[in-house]
Amino acid sequence: MTSEKLTTAPRKPASRRYDEGCAATHAMDIIGQRWALPVMRELMLGPRRFGDLKNSINGISANLLTQRLGSLEAGGVLRRATLPPPASVPVYELTRWGHAALPLFDAMGQWGARSPGHDHRRPLSATALLLTLRSMIDGAAAAPLEGTIRLTLDGEDFSWTKDGEDIRLARGTPDRWRVSIAGAPDVLAGWLFGEGEEAMLAAADQLSVEGDLDFAMRFADCFGAASSDF
Amino acid sequence: MTSEKLTTAPRKPASRRYDEGCAATHAMDIIGQRWALPVMRELMLGPRRFGDLKNSINGISANLLTQRLGSLEAGGVLRRATLPPPASVPVYELTRWGHAALPLFDAMGQWGARSPGHDHRRPLSATALLLTLRSMIDGAAAAPLEGTIRLTLDGEDFSWTKDGEDIRLARGTPDRWRVSIAGAPDVLAGWLFGEGEEAMLAAADQLSVEGDLDFAMRFADCFGAASSDF
DNA sequence: CTGCATCCGCAGGGATACTG
DNA sequence: CAGTATCCCTGCGGATGCAG
């Protein structure tokens, strides 16, 4: 007889993905993998190095980052590349389709920011803050906020440019800006989203703002109202 | 002395969520839970019963469905309710914030449908097909497709109404329609997305179409082009 | 019919240490 | 700096049984 195993019937592989014809769940099969979303987020503003990714994604370990970069490359979201000389360092960059996920970050940001359980005061990376701001401002009464803001977050420069309905984000220092704001991402978030005068003033103390201060204030007003909605 | 365990240092709970200030990752903390997205999807067109949810979500088991319904209720996405008499049956329905995730399905659908790895021919529920179609049609050259279509999928009636930029979906039979299409969701998907004449003809054989046939053909043409993009 | 509780096997996740 | 190797543990998935 040698009855193999009565209790263990032949098991199916039991993939942890959805594998449906539904386009939304298929998207989730990709971005729903652990750490996939933060990785894509950190690449949305341009190519980055392995170590920089690891440092700006809070809590990820090297082996998991390796795994995720591998599966996202296999899925066509990103690719490995080497920066042109004299840099010649290996980086990861989004493919064209990977970049097309930007509206997805907008939609997720808009929905997530309105979550009853969302606490905007938790730490977040520079890219995370920029994309969150981008998602929260669109459609708001931010009409008179055309122009460029220079943001220095964690010591790195970024440019925020509102051009009509469009918000353009980029790494690097802009040529011209109406106001320049420097500080840690979570401090800036505390200032923009802070409820109560004291919280905002406390945050403002840790920021350095130069240029058109009135413009900065109107910028901040856009987010104070938007964070409490539902 | 009594050295407890040298190899096992005090472990942190190691939550599998992101828990950041970033709004997008916070959204993922909710919809990224296993089966959360299909559950929300099946509720987007109105309240449903436990058993119906279980039947239309392929591969989920009762205990997991219970778990997910519980965590989504705790998260404010959905609530338990009882249908008014004489039905008086327990159902699950989305909260206002839960319904606000509809644009998220649009964004995910648009991105997922363009995935190089997406196979639209896999089985999918009626709701999944309707939301996938909704996400794929918007912005397309579907201007002359105003009006209502009656869709009978898996024996249940739905209405698809295009009103300007807006696509409205609902369960139930519409009062008036330009064309009525009946069949299984994956067969209809095969007809709409099918590449090659034969595939479309084979699918068409298994569908029953009544009313304005020309309208139905123009409707189908919207999706054949959209599915191959990147 | 509508769920909830429990047991078990397994794959993926997380921390740490290590190699090129 | 850029990953790989190892080990442990949790959560998922499936089956089953039970209560209202």
Side-chain angles (χ1 to χ4, degrees):
Chain A
M1 290 307 214
T2 69
S3 69
E4 308 277 344
K5 275 189 180 181
L6 294 176
T7 54
T8 309
R11 287 285 179 104
K12 273 186 270 183
S15 155
R16 208 154 291 194
R17 308 186 313 160
Y18 296 119
D19 281 325
E20 291 180 312
C22 171
T25 51
H26 177 252
M28 188 55 76
D29 282 340
I30 296 169
I31 64 173
Q33 297 176 95
R34 189 65 171 140
W35 300 114
L37 199 71
V39 167
M40 293 172 63
R41 180 190 68 202
E42 294 303 322
L43 294 177
M44 287 302 305
L45 263 48
R48 304 196 63 186
R49 309 190 57 177
F50 185 93
D52 292 336
L53 288 173
K54 180 166 176 350
N55 288 334
S56 45
I57 299 176
N58 195 325
I60 197 174
S61 57
N63 57 357
L64 272 251
L65 180 54
T66 300
Q67 273 190 15
R68 204 47 60 230
L69 288 169
S71 67
L72 289 177
E73 183 177 18
V77 172
L78 55 82
R79 72 173 77 87
R80 298 190 59 158
T82 303
L83 250 37
S88 300
V89 292
V91 291
Y92 295 88
E93 64 183 10
L94 293 179
T95 62
R96 194 158 102 85
W97 178 58
H99 269 113
L102 185 55
L104 225 167
F105 279 89
D106 290 336
M108 295 188 66
Q110 283 182 38
W111 191 71
R114 296 175 172 193
S115 163
H118 180 48
D119 184 0
H120 57 73
R121 280 163 302 198
R122 293 180 171 283
L124 76 175
S125 76
T127 318
L129 175 61
L130 290 168
L131 287 174
T132 298
L133 294 182
R134 185 189 136 92
S135 74
M136 291 179 69
I137 205 175
D138 98 339
L145 286 169
E146 302 293 310
T148 297
I149 301 177
R150 174 200 184 200
L151 291 161
T152 309
L153 303 165
D154 289 335
E156 190 178 0
D157 270 12
F158 298 89
S159 80
W160 160 293
T161 302
K162 182 173 186 304
D163 181 10
E165 288 297 300
D166 225 52
I167 307 282
R168 287 198 307 275
L169 302 173
R171 290 217 299 275
T173 311
D175 296 335
R176 302 177 64 251
W177 63 84
R178 299 191 55 170
V179 65
S180 170
I181 307 175
D186 44 354
V187 173
L188 181 50
W191 179 53
L192 295 173
F193 305 135
E195 296 157 32
E197 290 289 325
E198 40 194 287
M200 292 189 61
L201 291 178
D205 273 353
Q206 304 176 58
L207 295 171
S208 115
V209 183
E210 293 174 39
D212 186 341
L213 298 187
D214 184 58
F215 189 82
M217 291 307 297
R218 281 183 285 130
F219 178 70
D221 285 342
C222 291
F223 303 103
S227 56
S228 61
D229 195 316
F230 280 95
Chain B
M1 297 306 201
T2 70
S3 68
E4 306 280 344
K5 278 187 179 179
L6 293 176
T7 55
T8 309
R11 282 288 176 104
K12 274 187 269 182
S15 156
R16 209 156 286 196
R17 308 186 314 159
Y18 296 119
D19 281 326
E20 290 179 315
C22 171
T25 51
H26 177 252
M28 188 55 75
D29 282 340
I30 296 169
I31 63 174
Q33 298 175 96
R34 189 69 172 136
W35 299 115
L37 200 71
V39 167
M40 292 172 63
R41 180 189 68 202
E42 294 303 321
L43 294 177
M44 288 301 306
L45 264 48
R48 304 197 64 186
R49 311 191 56 176
F50 185 92
D52 292 335
L53 288 173
K54 181 167 176 349
N55 288 334
S56 44
I57 299 176
N58 195 326
I60 197 172
S61 57
N63 55 1
L64 271 255
L65 179 56
T66 300
Q67 273 188 32
R68 204 48 61 230
L69 288 169
S71 67
L72 289 176
E73 182 177 18
V77 172
L78 54 82
R79 72 172 77 89
R80 299 188 58 156
T82 303
L83 249 37
S88 301
V89 293
V91 290
Y92 294 88
E93 64 182 9
L94 293 180
T95 62
R96 194 157 101 82
W97 177 58
H99 268 113
L102 185 55
L104 225 168
F105 279 88
D106 290 335
M108 294 186 65
Q110 283 181 38
W111 191 71
R114 296 176 172 195
S115 163
H118 180 47
D119 183 1
H120 57 73
R121 278 164 301 197
R122 294 180 170 283
L124 76 175
S125 75
T127 318
L129 175 60
L130 290 168
L131 287 173
T132 298
L133 294 183
R134 184 189 136 92
S135 73
M136 290 180 69
I137 203 175
D138 95 344
L145 286 169
E146 302 291 310
T148 297
I149 301 177
R150 174 199 186 202
L151 292 162
T152 307
L153 303 165
D154 289 334
E156 188 178 359
D157 270 12
F158 299 89
S159 80
W160 160 293
T161 302
K162 182 171 187 305
D163 181 11
E165 287 298 299
D166 224 53
I167 307 283
R168 286 197 307 276
L169 302 173
R171 291 217 297 275
T173 312
D175 296 335
R176 302 176 63 251
W177 63 84
R178 300 190 56 169
V179 66
S180 169
I181 307 174
D186 44 353
V187 172
L188 181 50
W191 180 52
L192 295 173
F193 306 134
E195 297 157 30
E197 290 290 324
E198 40 194 283
M200 293 188 62
L201 290 178
D205 273 352
Q206 304 176 58
L207 295 171
S208 114
V209 183
E210 293 175 37
D212 186 341
L213 298 186
D214 184 57
F215 189 82
M217 290 306 297
R218 282 184 285 130
F219 178 71
D221 284 343
C222 290
F223 303 103
S227 56
S228 62
D229 196 316
F230 278 94

